[in-house]
Amino acid sequence: MSAHEPHLPLTPLSMAVLLMVSEEARHGYAIRQELEGRGPDGVPLGTSSLYAALRRLSDEGLIEEVPDPTDARRRSYRITDEGREVARAEALRMARVAGRARDAHLVTGPELAGEAGLA
Amino acid sequence: MSGRRGPQAEGSRPDAGAGVAGDPGDRGSPDPSGAVRVVAWVFRLLRVLLPARLRRRHGPEMDAMLVAVLEDARRRGGPLGLLDAVGREAADLVGTAVRTRVTGVPPVPRLAGVAGAAGLAIALALLTEGRAPPEPVVRFDAHDPAGTFTLVLRDGRVVEATLDGAPVPARRVLQRGDSVTLVGAEGRPGVRLRLERPATIHWEARPAPR
C-alpha cells in the first residue's frame, strides 16, 4: 500500500481543485469560474461545497493557503508537494481504470488516447 | 490599439477597467443590488448549518463569492436568474451541511426557525427585485481594420451576433460574465471583447487581413 492510498480515490471535485491549483495559486472565485466554464466537462459548484472541499484538502495537507499581503481576509490556494503526489497517484489510478475498460472492450485504445489528448 | 464603443455610436479612448480576473474582491464591480444584499444576509444566517470551523475560516470569502455569483446571476437573468441562483446555492448549502455534519445535526426547531426567516427574506428580496425595470435590448454595430461585427444583448447576454455580415451561430459565441468571444469560422478572424454596462463594449482592434 502506497503512502497516498488513504487519500484515494479522490472525489472528482477534489481532483479538479488539485489540478486547478497545481500550476499557480488561485483565489476561490477563480477556481469556481474555471471549473464551471469547462462546458461538458465542467463541475457545477456551489459556494459551500467549494469551500468545504478547500477546507478538507487543506486539512489533509494537499493544498496550502497563501495569504494576500494586501488584505488579511482574502487568500489564495496552491498545491503542496504531498498534494502533487496524491494527484499523480489519482491520475495513474484513473489510467488503470481506463485500461480495464479497454480490456473489457468498452472503449478502444485510440478513443482513450483521443480523450486524453495523446492521439 | 483598442476600441471602445457604445451602441451605434462613435468610439472614444478605452479605459483600463478590469482588475484581477476571477477575484471578486478585485473586480471593481458596482455595489450589489438590495435584493442580493438581503439574500446574502440570509445565507450568512443559514451558514449556521455548516461546521463552525468552516464558517470561521472561510466566512468572509464565502460572503464575497456568494455576492459575486448572485449579482452576476441577477444581471444575466433578472429576478428569475437570481431565484435560480438562490435555489442552487441553498441546495448546495444544505447538501454540504448534511455531508459535513455526520453527527450533530441542529435541532429541528432551530432549523425550522432559520428556514422560515430565510423564506421570508428571500420572498421580500424577490418582490423588491421584481419591481426593478428589466435591462433593455442593446444593439452594437462596430468595425475595426479587420472588418465589421454586430452584437445584440438582452439582459447582459449576447442573443445575436454577426461577423462581417454573417450570423455567428450560438456555439461560436462564448460568454463568461462580461467577457465575450466571437469565434471566427474556418480561419476567419474572430473578436474578443468586454461588455461594460449600461451600453459600452471594449475590444482590441484587429489588424487588417493581409
Side-chain angles (χ1 to χ4, degrees):
Chain A
M1 175 171 150
S2 85
H4 310 305
E5 271 187 36
H7 295 287
L8 303 183
L10 292 175
T11 65
L13 176 57
S14 294
M15 183 62 169
V17 170
L18 285 182
L19 295 178
M20 194 64 57
V21 299
S22 63
E23 297 288 332
E24 59 181 348
R26 289 172 186 258
H27 292 101
Y29 194 74
I31 294 171
R32 177 175 181 157
Q33 282 192 313
E34 189 74 26
L35 290 180
E36 288 186 330
R38 290 184 168 182
D41 295 331
V43 180
L45 273 179
T47 303
S48 305
S49 54
L50 174 59
Y51 279 99
L54 290 172
R55 183 74 259 143
R56 190 178 61 251
L57 290 169
S58 184
D59 287 346
E60 292 176 357
L62 304 185
I63 62 172
E64 61 188 354
E65 299 174 5
V66 184
D68 188 316
T70 62
D71 186 344
R73 293 169 303 174
R74 293 168 47 210
R75 54 180 77 92
S76 52
Y77 303 85
R78 71 180 166 214
I79 200 167
T80 62
D81 291 342
E82 170 76 358
R84 203 172 289 281
E85 288 300 315
V86 168
R88 180 175 181 277
E90 173 68 2
L92 294 175
R93 187 193 69 78
M94 293 165 74
R96 288 194 294 274
V97 171
R100 285 198 288 275
R102 182 200 56 201
D103 294 345
H105 306 292
L106 296 173
V107 293
T108 66
E111 277 180 311
L112 286 180
E115 286 295 316
L118 304 174
Chain B
M1 186 171 77
S2 338
R4 170 184 170 144
R5 179 125 330 163
Q8 301 186 36
E10 286 305 310
S12 58
R13 291 291 301 164
D15 58 19
V20 174
D23 177 11
D26 284 346
R27 294 176 85 199
S29 53
D31 286 341
S33 73
V36 167
R37 277 199 294 267
V38 170
V39 173
W41 174 78
V42 170
F43 269 87
R44 216 167 291 144
L45 291 182
L46 288 173
R47 262 184 229 129
V48 72
L49 301 173
L50 297 175
R53 189 153 175 269
L54 180 61
R55 294 198 309 269
R56 278 198 301 268
R57 189 68 184 158
H58 297 289
E61 286 175 276
M62 294 169 84
D63 267 346
M65 177 183 288
L66 184 73
V67 167
V69 167
L70 295 180
E71 186 62 22
D72 192 43
R74 186 190 70 82
R75 289 187 187 186
R76 289 187 191 190
L80 287 181
L82 176 60
L83 183 59
D84 181 52
V86 168
R88 278 187 282 113
E89 286 288 343
D92 178 66
L93 191 151
V94 172
T96 303
V98 171
R99 284 195 304 276
T100 53
R101 285 182 181 271
V102 178
T103 59
V105 175
V108 170
R110 184 178 173 194
L111 196 60
V114 172
L120 179 62
I122 289 173
L124 286 172
L126 291 172
L127 282 174
T128 305
E129 181 64 21
R131 286 199 293 270
E135 289 190 41
V137 174
V138 184
R139 179 186 174 88
F140 295 93
D141 291 298
H143 63 87
D144 59 18
T148 63
F149 64 91
T150 66
L151 283 181
V152 178
L153 302 179
R154 187 189 301 275
D155 295 332
R157 297 291 298 172
V158 179
V159 295
E160 195 179 316
T162 67
L163 270 173
D164 297 321
V168 181
R171 68 175 184 281
R172 289 199 279 116
V173 178
L174 311 177
Q175 180 169 8
R176 182 184 294 176
D178 293 338
S179 298
V180 175
T181 302
L182 305 181
V183 180
E186 297 172 357
R188 300 281 300 160
V191 61
R192 299 177 66 177
L193 52 92
R194 184 166 61 81
L195 309 177
E196 182 181 286
R197 287 175 179 79
T200 304
I201 59 175
H202 301 263
W203 78 100
E204 289 295 322
R206 305 161 299 164
R210 295 177 187 276

